[in-house]
Amino acid sequence: MTIHDPRLTPARADLAARSLEGTIAAPRYASGTPARVIEGLAPLRREPRPDAGLDTEALHGERLTVYDEDQEGWAWVQLARDGYVGYLPSHAILKGEAPAPTHRVAALRTFVFPGPSIKEPPLLWLSLGAEVTIRREIEVRGRVFGLTETGGAIVMQHLAPLGSAETDPVAVAERFLGTPYLWGGKSSLGIDCSGLVQTALAACGLKAPRDSDMQEAALGTPVGLDPSAWRRGDLLFWPGHVALVRDRDTMLHANAHTMSTAIEGLAAGLARIEAAGTPLRTVKRL
């Protein structure tokens, strides 16, 4: 019998994606409607209510499929980037086909202004990894702005072409130093351990699952547990946690111990986490 991960399977008691017909029994099936996130950040929750658990977040520009909407303003969706299924606020998305994104946010965060002036009140903020469609560029007083398809303006120095990729995921993750720890978070306002890894790898053109157990199973090749064999960028996995090796002496991770994204000594961190009852389980090299 095939076991379907509910985090990645668009099926519930009353409805399933039409692509699952014949695999999962449901009273009805839906083909789904394409959509994208139009707010700076949208919470994806496990139930359609604002106090439900936060499973992950969707950044501006992320593509998704909407399978159902209720009268309370919630859409049941599956994200295209990592396949996660859950409920997004309907006001955070726009249904229908959208122009292809051209750029990604490369700065830790940036603003969308109503016009090419940094003195105008921003329309919204975007976090690293958000995607936008730039129609044209305009220079105003020596500053170059990108004009989006909706008429907003973004400082171009905060953007990178969508096809470009950074080379060091650890350097990307270091930009989040001091960011508060947030379970399910995936932005510069709050991020968790696997969200940090997923975001850093995405900036380097590497696709990664959302949660640490998925990342442990899917990413890289195994490396021994001897720290002397590790190198920058290796991924350290414990049950429910992941960190990046920064150098021979330190690791970088979003963690609930410091409640932030922080650099921690390798020896001290390994000992601390093992003392809490969860010894290091796996090391993976990309």
Side-chain angles (χ1 to χ4, degrees):
M1 181 178 67
T2 302
I3 299 176
H4 298 276
D5 189 330
R7 296 170 293 181
L8 305 176
T9 307
R12 61 189 196 192
D14 65 324
L15 176 66
R18 192 167 303 281
S19 60
L20 297 174
E21 193 169 2
T23 303
I24 293 179
R28 60 190 178 99
Y29 299 90
S31 299
T33 302
R36 59 174 166 153
V37 176
I38 56 172
E39 293 195 348
L41 188 67
L44 187 134
R45 301 190 184 278
R46 64 193 63 173
E47 299 290 342
R49 60 178 199 275
D51 61 344
L54 179 67
D55 280 339
T56 186
E57 294 175 313
L59 303 179
H60 180 87
E62 282 200 47
R63 270 48 179 175
L64 53 106
T65 301
V66 178
Y67 290 105
D68 191 30
E69 285 188 271
D70 64 20
Q71 298 300 312
E72 304 301 320
W74 291 95
W76 186 54
V77 311
Q78 182 171 35
L79 303 180
R81 185 172 292 184
D82 55 28
Y84 228 104
V85 175
Y87 294 87
L88 286 178
S90 294
H91 63 73
I93 63 177
L94 180 65
K95 292 193 290 185
E97 296 294 340
T102 60
H103 291 73
R104 59 179 174 84
V105 175
L108 182 62
R109 69 180 70 93
T110 192
F111 296 103
V112 180
F113 298 99
S117 170
I118 62 172
K119 295 184 179 180
E120 296 190 42
L123 299 172
L124 70 163
W125 69 275
L126 306 178
S127 189
L128 189 152
E131 295 179 352
V132 296
T133 302
I134 299 298
R135 291 301 193 193
R136 65 187 181 95
E137 297 180 19
I138 182 172
E139 184 174 339
V140 178
R141 297 185 178 88
R143 193 185 309 276
V144 180
F145 292 87
L147 302 184
T148 72
E149 87 280 5
T150 56
I154 305 172
V155 175
M156 285 301 297
Q157 69 192 73
H158 289 173
L159 302 177
L162 196 62
S164 65
E166 305 199 32
T167 59
D168 184 358
V170 178
V172 177
E174 286 176 334
R175 296 177 203 165
F176 287 86
L177 284 171
T179 298
Y181 178 84
L182 175 65
W183 180 276
K186 207 175 71 174
S187 84
S188 56
L189 292 187
I191 200 163
D192 65 14
C193 63
S194 54
L196 180 67
V197 168
Q198 185 189 50
T199 301
L201 293 184
C204 297
L206 302 172
K207 188 174 181 179
R210 176 58 178 91
D211 294 341
S212 62
D213 64 318
M214 301 175 184
Q215 293 172 356
E216 182 179 9
L219 296 177
T221 56
V223 177
L225 299 183
D226 180 1
S228 66
W230 301 347
R231 66 189 188 202
R232 183 177 176 90
D234 286 348
L235 299 174
L236 309 179
F237 290 99
W238 298 262
H241 189 59
V242 60
L244 292 134
V245 174
R246 182 170 174 266
D247 55 36
R248 62 182 299 173
D249 299 315
T250 61
M251 63 181 179
L252 174 66
H253 57 154
N255 66 91
H257 176 65
T258 65
M259 285 303 296
S260 68
T261 297
I263 295 170
E264 186 172 7
L266 263 178
L270 291 169
R272 176 183 63 78
I273 299 173
E274 183 168 4
T278 51
L280 182 68
R281 182 166 66 189
T282 310
V283 182
K284 289 291 197 69
R285 180 165 297 159
L286 299 172

